[in-house]
Amino acid sequence: MFTGEQVRTVRARYKRQREGLQQVGTKSAKRKAKRKSGTEARFMADVNHCISKALVAKATSARKALALEDLTGIRDRVTVRRAQRYERHSWAFSQLRRFITYKADNAGVRVTLVNPAYTSVTCPECGHCAKANRRSQAEFLCQACGYTANADCVGARNIQTVAVNQPMVAGVRAQ
């Protein structure tokens, strides 16, 4: 599991530094703020490379495929509070997906994209799907069978199940 706590800390620091430089407003402050944004982008690319490398290496050693949520258009579909906008809109999930895809292709690992709809509100044990199953951002409790777990882990289990049940047709990869 990758928590992202270190990434949030570093990015919050860069954001505070840029905000301070924007308040100054001088030409040199703007140049320095632009350099800071480049430093942050390189940091995020490095983190995404490390995560994708670890995931592909684990899939290669276990001889398993990788399943990812298809998050295309998520910025248009999901609304967030003002305080969370920066984190959501600067999230480099597309870059991480590209890195995983090209590294998986090089290693011969299959990557399957899964529709994320209802993955975190469907019980992986009994299949009951209800919005009430997800009690909070972190807590999942099935209303039908009583199964309880971390909501992200439930979503990951459901994505894994969907990816495993997808048929391979005549050697063509499903994406």
Side-chain angles (χ1 to χ4, degrees):
M1 275 181 85
F2 298 97
T3 64
E5 194 57 42
Q6 176 207 8
V7 172
R8 272 191 220 97
T9 304
V10 170
R11 294 186 72 211
R13 186 179 72 229
Y14 282 130
K15 184 180 179 206
R16 280 193 310 274
Q17 289 173 350
R18 273 197 317 277
E19 285 172 347
L21 290 168
Q22 285 172 349
Q23 286 179 351
V24 172
T26 62
K27 191 174 181 180
S28 63
K30 290 176 186 175
R31 274 196 309 262
K32 195 169 187 174
K34 190 172 183 178
R35 275 198 313 268
K36 290 282 182 193
S37 71
T39 306
E40 182 179 1
R42 287 188 300 277
F43 167 75
M44 280 307 304
D46 179 58
V47 168
N48 284 338
H49 270 298
C50 293
I51 292 171
S52 62
K53 184 178 177 181
L55 289 173
V56 171
K58 184 169 177 124
T60 304
S61 68
R63 296 181 184 219
K64 300 279 185 178
L66 290 171
L68 304 173
E69 285 184 332
D70 186 10
L71 298 176
T72 306
I74 192 170
R75 289 191 177 109
D76 300 328
R77 290 192 313 263
V78 178
T79 58
V80 293
R81 294 186 176 128
R82 182 182 180 122
Q84 297 170 326
R85 283 183 195 161
Y86 172 74
E87 187 175 334
R88 175 63 53 92
H89 291 293
S90 61
W91 181 27
F93 62 87
S94 178
Q95 182 186 59
L96 178 60
R97 179 173 147 186
R98 281 194 318 269
F99 289 170
I100 290 171
T101 303
Y102 94 78
K103 288 177 184 179
D105 282 344
N106 288 342
V109 174
R110 188 178 84 189
V111 176
T112 305
L113 298 178
V114 176
N115 184 359
Y118 309 111
T119 55
S120 63
V121 294
T122 303
C123 180
E125 295 295 319
C126 69
H128 176 69
C129 181
K131 192 173 183 179
N133 285 349
R134 182 133 184 202
R135 303 187 68 171
S136 68
Q137 182 66 29
E139 184 183 357
F140 179 90
L141 175 63
C142 181
Q143 303 298 306
C145 70
Y147 175 76
T148 184
N150 180 289
D152 291 334
C153 293
V154 167
R157 269 187 71 187
N158 287 328
I159 289 168
Q160 179 183 13
T161 304
V162 170
V164 167
N165 292 334
Q166 279 190 342
M168 292 284 289
V169 180
V172 178
R173 274 198 271 187
Q175 287 192 4

